Amino acid sequence: MYRTHNCGALRASDINTEVTLSGWVSKHRDKGFMIWVDLRDRYGITQLIFDAERTDKAVFEAAKNLGREFVIQVKGQVIERASKNPNIPTGDIEILVNTLTVLNESAVPPFTIEDDTDGGEDIRMKYRYLDIRRNPVKNNLLFRHKVAQEVRNYLSAQDFCEVETPYLISSTPEGARDFVVPSRMNAGQFYALPQSPQTFKQLLMVGGMDRYFQIVKCFRDEDLRADRQPEFTQIDCEMAFVSQEDVMDTFEGMTRHLLKSIHGIEVDKFPRMTFEEAMRKYGNDKPDIRFGMEFGELNAVAQHKEFGVFNSAELVVGIAVPGAASYTRKEIDALIDWVKRPQVGASGMVYCKCEADGSFKSSVDKFYDQEDLKNWAEVTGAKAGDLILVLSGPANKTRAQLSALRMELGNRMGLRKSDEFAPLWVIDFPLFEYDEEAGRYFAMHHPFTSPKVEDIPLLDTDPGKVRANAYDMVLNGNEIGGGSIRIHDKATQELMFKHLGFTKEEAEKQFGFLMNAFQYGAPPHGGLAFGLDRLVAILGGQETIRDFIAFPKNNSGRDVMIDAPATITPEQLEELHITVVQPQE
Amino acid sequence: MYRTHNCGALRASDINTEVTLSGWVSKHRDKGFMIWVDLRDRYGITQLIFDAERTDKAVFEAAKNLGREFVIQVKGQVIERASKNPNIPTGDIEILVNTLTVLNESAVPPFTIEDDTDGGEDIRMKYRYLDIRRNPVKNNLLFRHKVAQEVRNYLSAQDFCEVETPYLISSTPEGARDFVVPSRMNAGQFYALPQSPQTFKQLLMVGGMDRYFQIVKCFRDEDLRADRQPEFTQIDCEMAFVSQEDVMDTFEGMTRHLLKSIHGIEVDKFPRMTFEEAMRKYGNDKPDIRFGMEFGELNAVAQHKEFGVFNSAELVVGIAVPGAASYTRKEIDALIDWVKRPQVGASGMVYCKCEADGSFKSSVDKFYDQEDLKNWAEVTGAKAGDLILVLSGPANKTRAQLSALRMELGNRMGLRKSDEFAPLWVIDFPLFEYDEEAGRYFAMHHPFTSPKVEDIPLLDTDPGKVRANAYDMVLNGNEIGGGSIRIHDKATQELMFKHLGFTKEEAEKQFGFLMNAFQYGAPPHGGLAFGLDRLVAILGGQETIRDFIAFPKNNSGRDVMIDAPATITPEQLEELHITVVQPQE
């Protein structure tokens, strides 16, 4: 038996017990007459003591030679610790060791295995198995497990059935790029890895499964932006015989359960906001509502004066930054520079200080009098001591710029607290978005999303105005889940594909099996999918999903630990009926 | 709201309640003055009644036109049923319908959606979404979910952490054939889909995760034998600081929990049998011990007589078939024909009837006297009334043949009861098995399995005799799980690869990351993996794993429902830097 206790278990009540522990040498202090070792495992740290007077000489000598990260087994007596450590649960005791076995030695690790390590991202990824020994990474993985278990238990208790859908499916051109898998048994044919189990979960609804979920890996072969992974995990859900309200109620309940069970936080009914309202108030369809600074549209009060920049703009919009009237000229200039960075792209910014005495001081005093500026303050909700910041230009772009500024200020001012959770629903998304480059409409959510019945007449006349029965759950400025009520009849689905530019034949070839299924009694259904990686990161009060994935890939889609992808043998290529065509320089 | 109750919910206590139900038209009986509809959903069946006298005329007319599998919503009153149906939970009531809405029509389904369907395997697979509406399939999926939930809850309560390991890894030539995924971003390179998360779970142990599990899809591109799937699901588990006993105790506990929680069956401590004993007694390393007919080796009592066939055989081995002395000559001949089929491959079979009066009658009476045959009876454990069946030939082949016969007889005689569960451990597997064709040893389990310390000296002299720290859990004649204590030091792992015929460079290239990890303090560790598909099928008292998979593939690896795999576009091929090479006729 390798151990009687783990390294986080022993307490003052165990004093005088003989115990066996196994673990890693975390710290090793040799004072000549006395050696202390911090023995670490997943569960904690226990201090070992080797004493020249009390410890067997051979054991004492062996203890001298222990190195960091050696794996050892010790037997000894639990004794009261001379200088107690109140910071760790085992801090009242230590082990006076009488037997020491080195189970495995260790080379000097490439970085220190401590909460604050000296290892950079690259080296930690290459030696991820050592990185996982560190509390921050280990605790994230344990946290992820807990979240997944809570999700499963909650949904199972509500009669949801987890069904495994296949990973080897077929490729569809709509949506993101597929990863494909050449078939050995079917020369020239390929499987595709699922971007999501969307069609399968809909077929399960046609199959009467009624309430389905699955925590499932999904795959997208896209150029990786920061913090995107080619493989990611969804909590995928679908329900039959439901309206949008039913789906939202169910998964609002799930998220409320997670916040309660994991953080002990009770959350009220989630606020709801239409897409249009979210864009208008926050310039963003995933607003962070932990803090205010809602947009105030100033066209009515700032246009038709002498200021040409505003007069010619589609939108003039501002926010009131609380308490920022005291900003120096230098600080304000820095903010102006910030919005003019290419990543934000504003051409300039107007400000107006709301002074304590009720007067206003703006960068455009030449064009606006005190009464004008008072109107600005009213529209943006600015109070004495606040700073109004105003951008102008084309509506969509300007909203996006002001949203970026608002989030940046939220961060700088500490308003985005990691232990505060402000969920909401964003609803009534447009069904389509127009892609200038492709010159056609694309489904904003996916082609299976149903249009609002009252907007169906607009399909032919003004498709961009058609709203979908689609909803996103937003938490702290991130979309954590999104879904829709689906189309469940063949005619509407065909109409949808037509509007997406599919010929009848293309639609039939790619989605014939689904439309065929709709002919055999498809029930009304809808659902949603959560991004587990992001959900866990946000619930964990962090931003980077990579920190919550055991073995993530880098931004080139490589696993640097195992060095994947890699070449395969000519025999493998031949069996798969393919050859490699190296790209020309 | 689509429903107030599901179709399995209503009872006599609900009589007079106004309810709304939704579901599928399962049966439709029109007697002119009265129409009965069985309304079905996942939860059950509720009888609807439309009465020419009591039902609104328009509703009654609409009800006439309902077809099978139409999706409808009805509102009505729960009333007491005239002729109660005690076979279903809702059999005391029916719904007198006052409002009927057809939510979706249905074409005539290609097979009847009933427990006993007229649909063959092929058509049911093509329309799997309709097959899933049938109770036998639906209940299997619900059962699978329950088993998976029980596994997760049990292991989580024992401090196991479910960690998701990557699906896009790299290919290794050892083991089965990999499915590969061409990389767009790394021209000429490929990911591979995991055959199991073996190396990752070992790295998690190196990473101090201590107790890991994962219910995870695995992939093997092998020619599909009956009831094998290219993608299958494992319950993958690993523990650190454990001996073989610790691992076996833990997962014996898990299986005992499953049998208890799912079937209410208490099972004693699992018997253990060495590989050698299992082969000797049952001719099989996954013996079905629900019934006897253990092998009796007859060399000592049947050789050195006048019967040349036995004298020249490496092994003479028999079983006693209980109560089969009454078999007719014709029945016995049929059994002899059965063992001579190519699938079994015996060249003949000797029998001996143990008559009620204590005498013996054999097919080789010419060579053996009553005393000889009495010895046969003793060795095989035959009692009066039993039939002894004897095969002879090369030991391994003959054991396999007799094992096939024993299983066949077990089936025919009803001794393999689907509601009886007889688990056991088979231990002390050989480390290697020799492949005549390849002319080298292969790892019987996998190359990370540790040899028994006392057998290490045999590695160089007699590798076939080296036993592994490997164990299989066997249930009702099926291996449901298998595992081992792993090698955890670089030197032994290198030695293992050497014995498997790897050069140092090959080993380094393919498994360098693992052996490198072993240099940084790898703890002793071991684990096992269960095949979830098979485990669920056996726990469900069935044999075919396909019946427990929502969307299985056929024996050519095709999903006939979505028609995968399929061709992809030239643009996709180009982006992935590959071309197809059609095989030459």
Side-chain angles (χ1 to χ4, degrees):
Chain A
M1 195 172 55
Y2 281 102
R3 56 188 172 193
T4 54
H5 298 76
N6 66 46
C7 295
L10 294 167
R11 299 286 181 275
S13 56
D14 297 301
I15 285 169
N16 290 328
T17 319
E18 290 291 322
V19 298
T20 306
L21 299 183
S22 291
W24 285 265
V25 173
S26 178
K27 279 198 184 124
H28 184 265
R29 279 170 299 151
D30 186 345
K31 297 274 181 194
F33 59 96
M34 198 84 95
I35 299 165
W36 290 270
V37 166
D38 274 1
L39 190 69
R40 185 197 64 232
D41 68 8
R42 173 182 137 185
Y43 308 95
I45 282 182
T46 300
Q47 179 163 292
L48 312 179
I49 181 166
F50 302 80
D51 177 345
E53 285 188 9
R54 289 178 289 173
T55 305
D56 174 83
K57 195 156 189 267
V59 172
F60 190 81
E61 286 307 311
K64 278 193 174 307
N65 295 322
L66 292 176
R68 272 200 293 140
E69 301 305 319
F70 275 37
V71 184
I72 62 172
Q73 182 191 45
V74 295
K75 292 176 202 284
Q77 193 183 13
V78 183
I79 61 173
E80 190 174 355
R81 192 154 154 178
S83 62
K84 299 197 170 48
N85 179 351
N87 298 320
I88 59 173
T90 63
D92 287 345
I93 58 93
E94 59 192 359
I95 312 297
L96 180 62
V97 177
N98 57 45
T99 313
L100 166 66
T101 311
V102 174
L103 299 173
N104 216 341
E105 300 195 345
S106 174
V108 176
F111 51 86
T112 57
I113 298 179
E114 285 169 10
D115 292 7
D116 287 314
T117 181
D118 56 354
E121 172 96 0
D122 289 351
I123 191 95
R124 290 193 292 110
M125 286 302 151
K126 185 166 163 58
Y127 296 90
R128 183 65 163 176
Y129 46 85
L130 298 181
D131 202 24
I132 290 172
R133 286 189 200 156
R134 297 171 51 241
N135 283 320
V137 182
K138 179 197 75 184
N139 289 338
N140 283 354
L141 297 181
L142 295 171
F143 183 76
R144 182 183 180 112
H145 169 60
K146 185 171 162 55
V147 172
Q149 264 304 95
E150 289 291 347
V151 166
R152 285 196 162 96
N153 288 336
Y154 183 84
L155 292 177
S156 299
Q158 306 237 347
D159 270 340
F160 281 81
C161 176
E162 184 161 19
V163 179
E164 295 176 56
T165 53
Y167 279 86
L168 296 172
I169 64 170
S170 50
S171 186
T172 55
E174 192 70 10
R177 211 184 273 112
D178 286 318
F179 283 106
V180 301
V181 180
S183 168
R184 183 177 54 86
M185 293 210 264
N186 305 273
Q189 300 192 335
F190 294 76
Y191 301 101
L193 301 179
Q195 293 180 28
S196 88
Q198 181 65 33
T199 49
F200 286 93
K201 71 175 173 178
Q202 293 193 242
L203 291 172
L204 285 170
M205 294 306 103
V206 177
M209 196 39 72
D210 213 306
R211 298 185 150 214
Y212 146 91
F213 82 103
Q214 187 182 189
I215 299 186
V216 62
K217 272 279 175 82
C218 300
F219 304 86
R220 286 184 199 172
D221 185 11
E222 292 299 304
D223 296 323
L224 301 173
R225 283 185 271 157
D227 218 27
R228 284 266 179 122
Q229 290 281 316
E231 50 177 304
F232 56 97
T233 306
Q234 276 188 358
I235 309 169
D236 192 50
C237 311
E238 197 78 3
M239 307 169 77
F241 300 113
V242 285
S243 66
Q244 180 164 318
E245 283 303 312
D246 298 320
V247 179
M248 289 168 73
D249 274 357
T250 304
F251 293 98
E252 185 169 322
M254 186 187 96
T255 306
R256 203 179 279 119
H257 170 78
L258 288 178
L259 287 167
K260 174 77 179 155
S261 61
I262 286 167
H263 290 303
I265 293 174
E266 301 270 10
V267 183
D268 284 342
K269 197 159 168 52
F270 293 6
R272 295 182 182 191
M273 201 179 289
T274 64
F275 172 82
E276 191 274 330
E277 184 185 356
M279 296 308 289
R280 200 161 30 77
K281 279 194 183 164
Y282 299 96
N284 198 317
D285 63 358
K286 39 184 197 285
D288 187 341
I289 58 169
R290 280 175 297 183
F291 64 104
M293 293 198 236
E294 291 181 15
F295 290 12
E297 296 192 358
L298 299 169
N299 292 38
V301 294
Q303 290 184 327
H304 310 296
K305 307 276 166 172
E306 302 298 303
F307 189 41
V309 174
F310 281 4
N311 286 343
S312 64
E314 184 186 359
L315 180 69
V316 182
V317 60
I319 51 173
V321 188
S326 57
Y327 278 19
T328 62
R329 179 68 210 228
K330 206 173 149 191
E331 286 173 308
I332 292 174
D333 281 347
L335 280 179
I336 294 172
D337 286 344
W338 192 88
V339 296
K340 286 164 89 173
R341 298 183 321 150
Q343 300 95 314
V344 183
S347 50
M349 182 160 63
V350 164
Y351 70 85
C352 171
K353 290 183 173 185
C354 308
E355 305 290 4
D357 63 3
S359 70
F360 300 93
K361 175 83 200 75
S362 85
S363 57
V364 285
D365 281 352
K366 202 165 24 160
F367 307 110
Y368 299 95
D369 62 23
Q370 289 289 308
E371 199 54 36
D372 292 330
L373 299 176
K374 195 176 163 202
N375 287 334
W376 293 17
E378 231 162 65
V379 172
T380 58
K383 295 190 299 288
D386 292 355
L387 174 71
I388 302 171
L389 297 173
V390 184
L391 296 177
S392 64
N396 290 347
K397 267 194 190 160
T398 305
R399 286 196 175 105
Q401 291 161 357
L402 192 61
S403 171
L405 176 64
R406 174 178 175 272
M407 294 296 268
E408 173 70 14
L409 288 167
N411 284 331
R412 290 192 193 179
M413 300 171 79
L415 301 173
R416 306 188 66 202
K417 298 197 186 73
S418 64
D419 61 348
E420 193 181 324
F421 297 93
L424 76 153
W425 287 105
V426 177
I427 58 174
D428 293 356
F429 278 82
L431 186 63
F432 299 108
E433 53 188 348
Y434 192 74
D435 185 310
E436 299 284 350
E437 209 174 310
R440 74 160 169 108
Y441 283 101
F442 280 84
M444 191 157 189
H445 192 58
H446 55 52
F448 314 109
T449 298
S450 64
K452 286 203 180 291
V453 173
E454 60 269 35
D455 290 355
I456 288 182
L458 294 171
L459 271 175
D460 285 316
T461 56
D462 194 357
K465 282 273 188 298
V466 177
R467 290 165 307 157
N469 293 310
Y471 34 83
D472 277 359
M473 193 188 287
V474 173
L475 181 58
N476 294 2
N478 293 274
E479 180 211 324
I480 57 168
S484 64
I485 299 299
R486 325 300 183 185
I487 297 165
H488 68 281
D489 66 288
K490 192 178 176 186
T492 309
Q493 189 65 66
E494 278 177 339
L495 189 65
M496 186 70 184
F497 283 125
K498 195 190 102 188
H499 282 285
L500 290 170
F502 284 59
T503 66
K504 210 160 176 163
E505 291 68 36
E506 285 168 344
E508 182 59 34
K509 180 166 188 287
Q510 287 160 31
F511 296 106
F513 64 95
L514 184 66
M515 290 191 288
N516 201 26
F518 285 172
Q519 293 184 290
Y520 294 101
H525 61 286
L528 88 179
F530 290 86
L532 181 64
D533 307 293
R534 188 158 312 279
L535 177 64
V536 170
I538 294 169
L539 289 177
Q542 295 182 40
E543 299 249 309
T544 314
I545 66 171
R546 203 159 37 217
D547 295 342
F548 288 82
I549 296 172
F551 300 102
K553 296 197 169 47
N554 73 10
N555 279 347
S556 311
R558 294 199 72 82
D559 182 326
V560 295
M561 182 184 71
I562 64 167
D563 197 26
T567 55
I568 59 175
T569 65
E571 293 75 26
Q572 282 178 291
L573 289 170
E574 194 185 336
E575 279 194 324
L576 297 171
H577 321 289
I578 56 173
T579 55
V580 168
V581 183
Q582 283 295 348
Q584 306 194 339
E585 292 303 312
Chain B
M1 195 172 52
Y2 280 101
R3 56 190 172 192
T4 54
H5 298 75
N6 65 47
C7 295
L10 295 168
R11 299 286 181 274
S13 57
D14 297 301
I15 284 168
N16 291 327
T17 318
E18 289 292 323
V19 298
T20 307
L21 298 183
S22 291
W24 285 265
V25 173
S26 178
K27 278 196 185 126
H28 183 265
R29 279 169 301 150
D30 185 346
K31 296 275 184 195
F33 59 96
M34 197 86 94
I35 299 165
W36 290 270
V37 167
D38 275 0
L39 190 69
R40 186 196 64 232
D41 68 9
R42 173 183 138 186
Y43 309 95
I45 282 181
T46 300
Q47 180 164 290
L48 312 179
I49 182 166
F50 303 81
D51 178 345
E53 288 189 5
R54 288 179 290 173
T55 305
D56 174 84
K57 194 153 189 267
V59 173
F60 190 80
E61 286 307 310
K64 278 192 176 304
N65 296 321
L66 292 176
R68 273 200 292 139
E69 301 307 320
F70 275 38
V71 184
I72 62 173
Q73 182 190 46
V74 295
K75 293 176 201 284
Q77 193 182 14
V78 183
I79 60 173
E80 190 173 358
R81 193 154 154 177
S83 62
K84 297 197 172 49
N85 179 351
N87 298 320
I88 58 171
T90 62
D92 287 346
I93 59 93
E94 59 193 1
I95 312 297
L96 180 63
V97 176
N98 56 47
T99 313
L100 165 66
T101 310
V102 174
L103 298 173
N104 216 342
E105 301 197 346
S106 175
V108 176
F111 52 88
T112 57
I113 297 179
E114 285 169 9
D115 291 6
D116 287 316
T117 180
D118 56 355
E121 171 96 1
D122 290 350
I123 192 95
R124 290 194 291 110
M125 286 303 150
K126 185 166 162 56
Y127 296 90
R128 183 65 162 176
Y129 46 86
L130 298 180
D131 202 24
I132 290 172
R133 287 189 199 156
R134 296 172 54 242
N135 284 320
V137 182
K138 179 197 75 184
N139 289 339
N140 284 353
L141 297 181
L142 295 171
F143 183 76
R144 182 182 180 114
H145 169 61
K146 183 171 161 57
V147 172
Q149 263 304 95
E150 290 291 347
V151 165
R152 285 197 162 97
N153 288 336
Y154 184 83
L155 292 178
S156 299
Q158 306 238 347
D159 271 341
F160 281 82
C161 176
E162 184 161 19
V163 179
E164 294 177 56
T165 53
Y167 279 85
L168 297 172
I169 64 169
S170 51
S171 185
T172 56
E174 193 70 8
R177 210 185 274 110
D178 286 318
F179 284 106
V180 301
V181 180
S183 167
R184 182 177 55 86
M185 293 210 263
N186 306 271
Q189 300 193 333
F190 295 77
Y191 300 99
L193 301 178
Q195 294 182 28
S196 87
Q198 182 65 33
T199 49
F200 286 94
K201 71 176 170 177
Q202 292 193 240
L203 291 173
L204 285 170
M205 295 305 105
V206 177
M209 197 38 70
D210 213 303
R211 296 184 150 214
Y212 146 91
F213 83 104
Q214 188 183 188
I215 299 186
V216 61
K217 273 282 176 77
C218 300
F219 305 86
R220 286 184 199 172
D221 185 13
E222 292 299 304
D223 296 325
L224 301 174
R225 283 185 270 157
D227 217 26
R228 283 267 180 122
Q229 290 281 318
E231 50 177 305
F232 55 96
T233 306
Q234 278 189 355
I235 309 170
D236 193 49
C237 311
E238 197 78 4
M239 306 168 77
F241 300 112
V242 286
S243 67
Q244 182 165 320
E245 283 303 312
D246 298 319
V247 179
M248 290 168 73
D249 275 357
T250 303
F251 293 98
E252 185 169 322
M254 186 188 95
T255 307
R256 202 179 280 120
H257 170 78
L258 288 178
L259 288 167
K260 174 75 180 154
S261 60
I262 286 166
H263 290 303
I265 294 173
E266 301 269 9
V267 182
D268 284 342
K269 196 161 167 51
F270 293 7
R272 296 182 183 193
M273 201 179 289
T274 64
F275 172 83
E276 191 275 331
E277 184 186 356
M279 296 308 289
R280 200 160 30 77
K281 281 194 182 164
Y282 299 97
N284 198 316
D285 62 359
K286 40 182 197 284
D288 188 341
I289 59 169
R290 280 175 297 184
F291 64 105
M293 295 199 233
E294 291 182 15
F295 290 11
E297 296 194 357
L298 299 168
N299 291 40
V301 296
Q303 289 185 325
H304 311 297
K305 306 277 168 171
E306 303 297 302
F307 188 41
V309 173
F310 281 4
N311 286 344
S312 64
E314 185 187 358
L315 178 69
V316 182
V317 60
I319 51 173
V321 188
S326 58
Y327 278 20
T328 63
R329 180 64 211 227
K330 205 173 148 191
E331 288 174 306
I332 292 173
D333 281 347
L335 280 180
I336 294 172
D337 286 344
W338 191 89
V339 297
K340 286 164 88 172
R341 298 183 321 151
Q343 299 95 315
V344 184
S347 51
M349 181 159 65
V350 165
Y351 71 86
C352 171
K353 291 183 170 184
C354 308
E355 306 288 5
D357 63 2
S359 71
F360 300 94
K361 177 81 198 79
S362 85
S363 57
V364 286
D365 281 352
K366 203 166 23 160
F367 308 111
Y368 298 95
D369 61 23
Q370 290 288 307
E371 199 55 35
D372 291 332
L373 299 175
K374 195 177 162 199
N375 288 334
W376 292 19
E378 233 161 63
V379 172
T380 58
K383 294 186 300 288
D386 293 355
L387 174 71
I388 302 170
L389 297 172
V390 184
L391 295 176
S392 64
N396 289 347
K397 267 193 189 160
T398 306
R399 287 195 175 107
Q401 291 160 358
L402 193 60
S403 171
L405 176 63
R406 175 179 174 271
M407 295 294 269
E408 173 70 13
L409 288 166
N411 284 331
R412 290 192 192 180
M413 300 171 79
L415 301 173
R416 306 189 66 199
K417 298 195 185 75
S418 64
D419 60 349
E420 193 180 325
F421 296 93
L424 75 153
W425 288 104
V426 176
I427 57 173
D428 294 357
F429 277 82
L431 185 64
F432 299 110
E433 52 188 350
Y434 192 76
D435 185 310
E436 300 283 350
E437 208 173 309
R440 72 160 170 108
Y441 283 102
F442 281 83
M444 190 157 188
H445 192 59
H446 55 52
F448 314 109
T449 299
S450 64
K452 286 200 181 292
V453 172
E454 61 270 33
D455 290 357
I456 287 181
L458 294 169
L459 270 174
D460 285 316
T461 56
D462 195 355
K465 282 272 188 299
V466 177
R467 291 165 307 158
N469 293 311
Y471 34 83
D472 277 359
M473 192 186 287
V474 174
L475 181 59
N476 293 3
N478 293 276
E479 181 211 323
I480 56 167
S484 64
I485 298 298
R486 325 300 183 185
I487 296 165
H488 69 281
D489 67 287
K490 189 177 181 189
T492 309
Q493 190 64 66
E494 279 177 339
L495 189 65
M496 187 71 184
F497 283 125
K498 195 190 102 189
H499 281 285
L500 290 170
F502 284 60
T503 65
K504 212 162 170 156
E505 289 69 35
E506 286 167 345
E508 181 58 34
K509 180 167 188 289
Q510 288 159 32
F511 297 106
F513 65 95
L514 184 66
M515 291 192 289
N516 200 27
F518 285 173
Q519 294 182 291
Y520 293 102
H525 62 285
L528 89 180
F530 290 86
L532 181 64
D533 307 293
R534 188 156 313 280
L535 176 65
V536 169
I538 294 169
L539 288 177
Q542 297 183 40
E543 299 248 309
T544 313
I545 65 170
R546 205 162 31 222
D547 295 342
F548 288 82
I549 296 171
F551 300 101
K553 296 199 167 49
N554 73 9
N555 280 346
S556 311
R558 294 200 72 83
D559 182 325
V560 296
M561 182 183 73
I562 63 166
D563 197 26
T567 54
I568 59 175
T569 66
E571 292 75 26
Q572 282 179 293
L573 290 170
E574 193 185 336
E575 278 194 325
L576 297 170
H577 321 288
I578 55 173
T579 55
V580 168
V581 183
Q582 284 294 347
Q584 309 195 338
E585 292 303 310

